[in-house]
Amino acid sequence: MPPKKRNSGAAQKETKTSIKHAPLPDKENPDLSVEKHKEKDADFVTLCQSLQVTEAVCDHAWTIWKAVQASVEKVPDTEKRLWGVCLFVAVTDLEVASFTFTQVLKAVDLNVTQFLALLKKMDVNLDTISTRVNSAMTRLEKKYNVSLALYQRFEKTCSKIYTEDVKTGQCWGAAPDVCCLRSAGRALQMEDDLVISFHLMVCVLEFFIRRCPPNMLQPLYQSAISTAQSPPTRTSRRNQSKAKPCQPPPEVDVQLLETLCKENDCSLEEVKNVYQTSFSAFLDSMSLLGTQDLPQASNLSQQYEELYLKSRDFDGRLFLDKDETLVNAEVELMQVESTPRKNQPEEDVVLIPPQTPVRAAMNSIAQLRVDLTASGDQPSANLAVYFKNCTVDPTKEVLQRVESLSQLFFQRFGQAVGPRCVGLGKQRFTLGIRLYYRVMESMLKSEEKRLSVQNFSKLLNDSTFHTSLLACALEVVMATYGGNSTTGVYSNGVSPETDLSFPWILDVFQLAAFDFYKVIESFIKAEPNLTKDIVKHLERCEYQIMESIAWRGDSPLFELLRQTHEDGPVEQAEPTATLNQPLQHNHTAADLYLSPVRPSNRTLTAPECPATPPSQPPAPAPNQTPRHPQSKSLSVFYKKLYRLAYMRLKMLYTRLLTSHPDLEPIMWTLYQHTLQHEYDLMRDRHLDQLMMSAMYAICKVKNVDLRFKTIVTAYKNMPNTNPETFKHVLIRDGQYDSIIVFYNLVFMQKLKTNILQYASNRPPTLSPIPQIPCSPYKFQNSPLRVPGSNNVYISPMKSPQRMSPGVMTPRTRILVSIGESFGTSDKFQKINAMVNSRDWSLKRYGCFDRNSASKPLKRLRFDMDGQDEADGSKTDGDSAMIQKLEEISKLCFFIYQNSDIKWSQFFLLILV
């Protein structure tokens, strides 16, 4: 039963009042006795009474406040605001529904952004903010970010739909907005899904436009409404019985919906699916399906009020009033960033609309769909040939596996998003299947070229390989739809049942993270059309696997490590001598999934032939006893693990101990020793927990004053961190506590002898510092800057469908295609001759005379007429043109020298 509504009578009187947030209660809470709280600040007690909190909440909030006071030298804000945060923490910890999030924001005069920042500042101790509070704030922040993005898009879209007279009115603005909120709350179990929520918004707009008088619409939407559409009616209840029966209108105006989708860059097919499943069900619940009636804004608002009071979070209706608790007053919602072109008058400034979350999501989805247009949801003819070439044809098993995994995916997707959204899950799975077959074919072609074989029977009959490849394809699709850049103050607070982000797909398929990691690098290399954001997302997935997910208790990683260590230190997972060498390997997914199948190189008399197919390991030398086969997947995993571990240690070290440079190699030696020899400490734990413990241990034995509180404070400010990492650490048998307790009871007890050696006169030999290479994943679609040039780039040629001028670059540009028909080399010689005819020293640019020592390159900006930035002298317009020609000349020479670059594969992009 929902909570009682406050001021429900006033909500019925006037439409504008109905969208206002219910005011705070005027009466003081009779359950809160002032006498019992004499020791507390009187203003704090008054605030508690105004929010109608219980005695327990009041006491708990005051305890939190005193703990914060004792932990900080200076209170970060006014006491009243901090009291409001303490009260919110208290009601969340005690699970008491005393007030809503909006009510506490209004009571202490804070907006959402300020509240989140203040809560983070208050988290000074390991136990100030609990896991439950972290979860609640993460959910609230994600929902708020989605709601804000949707309202911004809603307001902008309405300004293009309705005439100026309607834009200033409240009726047509309030009703669709509240309808969006109501339908999202009704249809979705996860209201932070930006794409589905946006599709619902498009459905709501279609519903209202069809019922809107034509004179209230802009010309585009007047013409978009189907001619068979009857005029809108708003029949009063008194005259409903006298009204003539009319033909029920069609459930959806496809022509109008198509126009809305085109204007908002979204898929008509996906929006129709949302309409026919989720939105139609919502209309039916409101008795609006198949009628021309318009819902009353007051009725919608009243129903939304019930949802709002039940969820106890923010009141989304306040977006309509631009309420300061939801909308930052300093930032206009419809702000358009101006990107002026240099040397242009101010009146000719080019206005570029900002890349909003909705626009970014729609662009990414559209690009993915275009990329997969030519791919089918069945194995291609080429793939079928590979299957038939196998000793055991895997075709039947592949199709059966896809079918069984699809049913798992549909079921879990419906559980997470809502039972009416299973159709959306089917659409996403179809895209994933197309990508799965496409990448598989690309991988096999690469393997055929590398190994000169066509029989991949062992790989193609490996169920783990196929499941991992399909999971990776689906992760790309889910990340494209879900927005992989949404991270909040706390990134681990969403219920796993409704969180579709990684590693959700691993749980759906019951796939071990260690098996999934094997396919990531090969997947990225096999699919050149992946966007830079998706490549970064997959790289981040790989990091998460190495940090914690691969170390879950039931992970196959531990069995591999056990087998490796049975042969003694000779068979290390990663020889320490290789740590200071660049991370280079030629292993593909085929090698990693079929590993261990080849004996270690150290058991052979001759090196392994690179052309040997993975399914045919070379035989060991005669009279030699083989050891356990070396696992290539484990070797590559540990190489990446060490480099990630050192990169994290280095980042934390530079924030805390730059005055003690001698400690860094010692800390790394202990850290690396733990990962190599005491790897069981990682079971169900996080890589950073061992890092912080190693740092504290070395400081302790070296008498350097560094407290865990200081380490934790610096750690919180590092990227990709989670408070749960140091607040919720496994101690033993399902018991969790803080990082300090873990250090004292587990880490120190296990490594005490080793740690004390660093205080002796004969400390252990230091481990080599790993070289931190650049990311192994090249962003193939990213423009590559020509060395020595500030604004000359080359990028791979894309298909015509993807060459949208609106997404190429945020600046004006000149696009020059260099193809086979460009001409002979004498044209480039003429360019060189033109440049050489003036007093310009080509050596100063460091690219033509490779034998001479070049000076540092000067930045050339040839978009500033009359200014040579190299020497500061004034030049005329003709010299500016010569600078441009010189840039082109350098580019030509650069392309000529790079064998990997072919003329027919690149564009020249000159930003001016």
Side-chain angles (χ1 to χ4, degrees):
M1 185 174 180
K4 294 182 180 180
K5 302 183 288 295
R6 298 171 186 158
N7 292 353
S8 58
Q12 306 264 351
K13 295 181 181 179
E14 189 181 353
T15 300
K16 189 169 183 178
T17 305
S18 68
I19 64 171
K20 293 285 188 180
H21 163 64
L24 295 175
D26 295 329
K27 297 182 180 180
E28 296 180 351
N29 182 10
D31 297 331
L32 197 65
S33 171
V34 178
E35 290 296 322
K36 292 182 180 179
H37 302 283
K38 287 182 178 180
E39 77 284 357
K40 301 180 179 66
D41 192 291
D43 291 336
F44 173 80
V45 177
T46 302
L47 178 62
C48 292
Q49 290 176 322
S50 69
L51 291 172
Q52 294 189 329
V53 302
T54 62
E55 302 278 357
V57 170
C58 181
D59 289 336
H60 187 41
W62 187 254
T63 301
I64 296 171
W65 162 243
K66 299 305 289 185
V68 171
Q69 263 190 322
S71 302
V72 296
E73 297 179 1
K74 182 181 179 182
V75 176
D77 209 311
T78 63
E79 288 187 346
K80 185 176 182 181
R81 288 182 167 184
L82 289 168
W83 291 339
V85 177
C86 292
L87 284 168
F88 180 86
V89 172
V91 298
T92 306
D93 274 336
L94 300 176
E95 297 184 294
V96 178
S98 299
F99 50 79
T100 67
F101 185 48
T102 290
Q103 286 173 338
V104 73
L105 290 179
K106 285 185 169 293
V108 297
D109 192 26
L110 282 172
N111 62 39
V112 176
T113 305
Q114 292 169 336
F115 187 95
L116 294 171
L118 198 54
L119 181 65
K120 188 176 181 180
K121 290 180 181 178
M122 283 180 53
D123 192 11
V124 291
N125 293 322
L126 300 183
D127 56 353
T128 305
I129 307 300
S130 66
T131 300
R132 183 177 289 115
V133 176
N134 289 346
S135 300
M137 291 315 303
T138 300
R139 184 190 66 82
L140 268 174
E141 186 178 18
K142 293 182 72 174
K143 183 179 177 181
Y144 168 74
N145 289 334
V146 169
S147 299
L148 177 62
L150 285 175
Y151 180 72
Q152 290 175 341
R153 188 57 176 253
F154 172 81
E155 191 175 54
K156 181 179 179 181
T157 304
C158 284
S159 68
K160 296 179 179 180
I161 294 173
Y162 298 111
T163 59
E164 199 64 36
D165 294 337
V166 182
K167 295 174 195 175
T168 58
Q170 288 291 325
C171 175
W172 283 94
D177 181 68
V178 179
C179 192
C180 288
L181 296 169
R182 181 72 180 88
S183 61
R186 173 94 181 191
L188 298 180
Q189 292 174 197
M190 43 179 299
E191 296 176 72
D192 57 359
D193 190 302
L194 178 63
V195 175
I196 300 179
S197 299
F198 178 65
H199 288 166
L200 278 171
M201 188 192 85
V202 175
C203 296
V204 169
L205 290 172
E206 187 275 342
F207 176 85
F208 275 88
I209 293 172
R210 271 197 295 147
R211 289 156 176 77
C212 180
N215 63 338
M216 297 173 64
L217 299 174
Q218 298 280 10
L220 175 63
Y221 291 94
Q222 287 183 15
S223 59
I225 298 178
S226 299
T227 55
Q229 178 67 45
S230 56
T233 59
R234 187 188 286 270
T235 307
S236 65
R237 295 178 181 176
R238 181 180 301 175
N239 297 325
Q240 278 182 354
S241 59
K242 301 179 182 180
K244 296 180 180 180
C246 59
Q247 187 70 22
E251 184 178 343
V252 60
D253 188 331
V254 178
Q255 181 178 329
L256 174 59
L257 197 63
E258 185 176 2
T259 302
L260 280 166
C261 291
K262 184 178 179 181
E263 290 296 304
N264 290 279
D265 303 317
C266 52
S267 166
L268 175 62
E269 177 188 356
E270 293 181 352
V271 176
K272 283 176 65 177
N273 191 302
V274 171
Y275 201 112
Q276 293 165 0
T277 55
S278 303
F279 190 62
S280 292
F282 164 72
L283 293 178
D284 191 34
S285 69
M286 299 286 293
S287 301
L288 294 170
L289 192 62
T291 72
Q292 279 289 83
D293 293 337
L294 283 168
Q296 296 290 331
S298 57
N299 292 340
L300 285 171
S301 184
Q302 184 176 345
Q303 292 191 35
Y304 177 76
E305 180 90 358
E306 294 178 3
L307 286 174
Y308 156 63
L309 292 176
K310 185 177 180 179
S311 65
R312 318 301 297 182
D313 53 27
F314 61 87
D315 188 347
R317 296 167 296 180
L318 296 179
F319 281 113
L320 284 170
D321 300 326
K322 295 183 173 55
D323 191 276
E324 291 187 357
T325 59
L326 297 182
V327 180
N328 194 344
E330 288 88 20
V331 180
E332 290 291 334
L333 285 177
M334 297 301 295
Q335 178 182 2
V336 177
E337 299 175 358
S338 84
T339 307
R341 213 180 141 186
K342 294 183 180 180
N343 305 321
Q344 259 191 337
E346 297 210 353
E347 59 270 16
D348 293 334
V349 165
V350 179
L351 296 179
I352 305 295
Q355 183 78 336
T356 63
V358 173
R359 184 189 299 273
M362 294 302 107
N363 286 345
S364 298
I365 293 170
Q367 180 173 325
L368 177 67
R369 295 177 70 88
V370 167
D371 290 341
L372 297 176
T373 300
S375 303
D377 50 10
Q378 293 291 323
S380 67
N382 291 335
L383 206 51
V385 171
Y386 281 115
F387 289 169
K388 290 179 181 178
N389 287 335
C390 293
T391 307
V392 178
D393 191 336
T395 305
K396 184 178 179 180
E397 292 293 328
V398 167
L399 296 178
Q400 288 179 346
R401 186 183 301 105
V402 166
E403 177 61 26
S404 62
L405 292 178
S406 70
Q407 297 305 315
L408 279 175
F409 183 87
F410 301 155
Q411 179 186 1
R412 291 290 298 273
F413 188 90
Q415 291 173 359
V417 183
R420 298 186 183 278
C421 296
V422 172
L424 302 177
K426 292 181 179 179
Q427 289 179 330
R428 297 185 187 184
F429 190 84
T430 299
L431 291 175
I433 286 296
R434 292 176 179 177
L435 187 58
Y436 160 69
Y437 286 134
R438 171 169 158 160
V439 172
M440 189 195 308
E441 182 178 338
S442 177
M443 283 183 174
L444 293 176
K445 287 180 179 178
S446 177
E447 288 294 289
E448 180 182 4
K449 182 178 180 181
R450 183 174 73 100
L451 301 173
S452 300
V453 296
Q454 294 180 334
N455 185 349
F456 299 102
S457 184
K458 193 163 186 178
L459 176 67
L460 292 178
N461 283 281
D462 189 307
S463 178
T464 304
F465 164 72
H466 284 285
T467 305
S468 301
L469 186 60
L470 177 56
C472 196
L474 286 168
E475 180 59 30
V476 169
V477 174
M478 300 301 285
T480 302
Y481 276 83
N484 53 78
S485 59
T486 54
T487 55
V489 176
Y490 304 108
S491 57
N492 192 30
V494 183
S495 170
E497 289 79 18
T498 60
D499 185 9
L500 299 179
S501 60
F502 188 78
W504 179 81
I505 192 64
L506 302 187
D507 296 332
V508 172
F509 289 166
Q510 294 296 295
L511 180 64
F514 182 73
D515 290 328
F516 179 79
Y517 115 87
K518 302 173 188 177
V519 83
I520 294 177
E521 187 169 341
S522 292
F523 189 99
I524 293 173
K525 292 177 179 178
E527 180 47 60
N529 287 332
L530 294 179
T531 64
K532 186 175 181 178
D533 286 339
I534 290 297
V535 172
K536 285 185 175 180
H537 172 75
L538 291 178
E539 189 174 20
R540 179 60 196 148
C541 291
E542 188 178 68
Y543 286 168
Q544 286 182 263
I545 289 171
M546 291 187 288
E547 288 170 351
S548 61
I549 306 176
W551 301 99
R552 290 176 178 175
D554 57 351
S555 173
L557 174 61
F558 290 102
E559 177 61 21
L560 269 177
L561 285 168
R562 185 191 63 78
Q563 292 177 3
T564 301
H565 281 256
E566 279 182 354
D567 285 332
V570 172
E571 288 284 345
Q572 299 174 30
E574 167 75 353
T576 55
T578 67
L579 286 178
N580 55 0
Q581 299 174 3
L583 179 57
Q584 296 178 350
H585 70 87
N586 296 318
H587 303 309
T588 64
D591 293 323
L592 302 186
Y593 280 100
L594 300 179
S595 170
V597 295
R598 304 171 180 173
S600 170
N601 288 346
R602 278 167 285 190
T603 67
L604 305 176
T605 58
E608 180 183 320
C609 176
T612 305
S615 58
Q616 300 177 3
N623 304 322
Q624 190 170 18
T625 304
R627 303 185 182 190
H628 279 302
Q630 182 187 19
S631 171
K632 290 183 172 59
S633 59
L634 183 62
S635 176
V636 173
F637 179 84
Y638 255 78
K639 285 178 181 179
K640 293 185 175 184
L641 174 71
Y642 282 155
R643 284 160 174 83
L644 174 63
Y646 177 71
M647 182 174 66
R648 303 286 289 170
L649 177 65
K650 179 75 173 179
M651 190 180 300
L652 184 60
Y653 180 87
T654 54
R655 294 168 184 258
L656 294 170
L657 294 164
T658 51
S659 58
H660 299 275
D662 55 311
L663 296 183
E664 180 189 351
I666 302 176
M667 291 175 181
W668 167 244
T669 302
L670 175 60
Y671 192 14
Q672 190 265 337
H673 168 86
T674 307
L675 292 173
Q676 180 176 327
H677 299 287
E678 306 294 344
Y679 56 85
D680 206 58
L681 284 175
M682 279 294 299
R683 191 182 296 270
D684 291 320
R685 296 191 178 98
H686 194 286
L687 185 67
D688 290 348
Q689 292 165 356
L690 269 62
M691 173 189 69
M692 289 184 278
S693 298
M695 176 173 283
Y696 181 80
I698 296 302
C699 287
K700 200 75 173 174
V701 298
K702 293 295 184 179
N703 297 317
V704 175
D705 185 17
L706 182 66
R707 301 182 181 182
F708 250 122
K709 180 179 177 180
T710 307
I711 295 175
V712 164
T713 301
Y715 176 78
K716 287 192 299 183
N717 294 322
M718 288 170 56
N720 300 318
T721 58
N722 189 326
E724 297 304 295
T725 304
F726 53 81
K727 292 183 179 182
H728 195 69
V729 189
L730 176 66
I731 306 302
R732 64 173 66 89
D733 300 327
Q735 176 192 354
Y736 291 83
D737 214 311
S738 70
I739 186 70
I740 298 176
V741 177
F742 165 74
Y743 174 84
N744 290 329
L745 298 184
V746 181
F747 188 87
M748 185 62 183
Q749 300 304 318
K750 188 76 172 179
L751 293 163
K752 185 174 183 180
T753 302
N754 186 271
I755 292 172
L756 293 177
Q757 290 178 4
Y758 295 97
S760 66
N761 295 328
R762 301 182 64 183
T765 304
L766 297 179
S767 298
I769 298 296
Q771 184 183 48
I772 302 179
C774 298
S775 169
Y777 310 121
K778 296 180 180 179
F779 304 127
Q780 301 189 41
N781 289 326
S782 301
L784 174 65
R785 192 178 72 173
V786 178
S789 169
N790 190 48
N791 45 2
V792 178
Y793 296 80
I794 55 176
S795 60
M797 185 169 64
K798 302 174 184 177
S799 60
Q801 297 95 324
R802 300 179 62 192
M803 289 172 50
S804 172
V807 297
M808 285 182 59
T809 173
R811 309 173 95 190
T812 39
R813 81 288 290 172
I814 297 174
L815 185 64
V816 181
S817 175
I818 300 181
E820 298 296 342
S821 61
F822 183 82
T824 57
S825 60
D826 62 322
K827 291 191 176 181
F828 296 107
Q829 293 174 0
K830 289 180 180 179
I831 294 175
N832 282 330
M834 186 182 299
V835 175
N836 291 330
S837 65
R838 304 289 184 120
D839 282 331
W840 291 85
S841 173
L842 297 182
K843 291 183 180 181
R844 65 187 285 196
Y845 299 106
C847 64
F848 290 96
D849 189 352
R850 303 185 65 172
N851 297 322
S852 61
S854 304
K855 296 180 180 179
L857 295 176
K858 302 291 185 177
R859 297 177 63 192
L860 289 179
R861 293 185 180 271
F862 48 71
D863 51 356
M864 299 182 64
D865 293 338
Q867 177 71 33
D868 178 7
E869 201 169 300
D871 56 12
S873 62
K874 296 288 183 179
T875 62
D876 55 17
D878 187 46
S879 296
M881 178 57 69
I882 292 176
Q883 291 180 20
K884 294 184 181 181
L885 291 173
E886 185 154 5
E887 289 281 359
I888 296 175
S889 179
K890 290 197 308 179
L891 169 64
C892 297
F893 192 83
F894 169 73
I895 296 177
Y896 174 76
Q897 285 183 317
N898 284 267
S899 58
D900 294 336
I901 302 174
K902 299 179 181 179
W903 292 109
S904 59
Q905 293 178 331
F906 287 92
F907 285 118
L908 166 62
L909 189 64
I910 305 177
L911 303 180
V912 293

